[in-house]
Amino acid sequence: MNITRQEVEDFLYHEAELLDEWKMQAWADLFAKEGTYVIPPIGSPNADFKTALFLVHDDRARLEQRALRLLKKEAHVEFPHSKTTHNVSNVRIVSNEDGVVTVRANFITYRAKRDFLDTYVGVNEYQLVQEDGELKILSKKVILNLEGLRPQGKVSILL
């Protein structure tokens, strides 16, 4: 696949905008049919999900369910919704082989909720593919560069 860094950046900025605007179904639609979204344990970015407890380990069906659930009033931790700002930087195309573009990008996500401001920092690793003529996320791995989550110990937003 012939894709430029600018096209990748535009795609990642669009993803960030969808998340900040709480357009969760449109965000889920960015993923390929076989897409995955994972957040490995803090400090263990290469952990095996079979032997380690991941913060998130979703296939496409599960990430769609997560995205839709976050929009419901029953998702008490996110009702009313947090205010988020997703910043993407240092976008690099790592490889482009066999129709899969591997991308790394730094991120900072700010979450304001109930008089708290949480800051999540790290690196996103993507595998992007063409599906039905559109750029899609085959995999997104969120590597948190934190020592821990603040006392509640959870991530209730999509990073």
Side-chain angles (χ1 to χ4, degrees), residues 3 5 19-21 75 93 109 120 136 138 145 147 152:
I3 188 166
R5 184 175 49 83
L19 289 170
D20 289 340
E21 293 177 356
I93 295 177
T109 300
Y120 302 90
K136 296 286 184 173
L138 181 61
N145 289 339
E147 292 182 9
Q152 85 274 19

Side-chain angles (χ1 to χ4, degrees), residues 3-149:
I3 188 166
T4 66
R5 184 175 49 83
Q6 184 64 52
E7 290 169 319
V8 170
E9 285 180 351
D10 289 346
F11 181 81
L12 298 183
Y13 297 155
H14 176 65
E15 178 197 21
E17 182 178 50
L18 292 175
L19 289 170
D20 289 340
E21 293 177 356
W22 284 85
K23 293 181 179 176
M24 296 303 168
Q25 185 60 55
W27 173 78
D29 290 342
L30 294 178
F31 283 78
K33 293 175 188 132
E34 301 298 318
T36 60
Y37 172 69
V38 299
I39 305 175
I42 292 174
S44 299
N46 297 314
D48 182 347
F49 74 93
K50 295 176 186 170
T51 58
L53 182 60
F54 275 49
L55 296 169
V56 174
H57 191 275
D58 291 350
D59 62 10
R60 171 67 190 260
R62 180 73 182 119
L63 73 87
E64 283 186 11
Q65 292 170 357
R66 180 184 303 278
L68 293 174
R69 187 180 71 249
L70 284 171
L71 294 175
K72 296 181 180 179
K73 288 182 181 182
E74 292 81 16
H76 299 289
V77 72
E78 280 305 328
F79 194 84
H81 302 312
S82 298
K83 291 183 169 107
T84 62
T85 302
H86 290 73
N87 291 310
V88 179
S89 66
N90 296 37
V91 176
R92 286 103 53 222
I93 295 177
V94 176
S95 68
N96 188 347
E97 299 174 8
D98 301 321
V100 178
V101 178
T102 302
V103 174
R104 287 178 57 91
N106 294 348
F107 74 88
I108 299 173
T109 300
Y110 299 101
R111 173 189 182 249
K113 179 80 169 178
R114 296 187 182 106
D115 297 325
F116 285 99
L117 178 65
D118 294 314
T119 304
Y120 302 90
V121 297
V123 177
N124 285 330
E125 293 182 350
Y126 293 88
Q127 288 187 321
L128 305 175
V129 296
Q130 286 282 342
E131 187 175 273
D132 300 325
E134 295 182 33
L135 193 59
K136 296 286 184 173
I137 301 168
L138 181 61
S139 68
K140 178 179 180 180
K141 180 191 216 179
V142 178
I143 301 168
L144 290 167
N145 289 339
L146 303 172
E147 292 182 9
L149 299 173

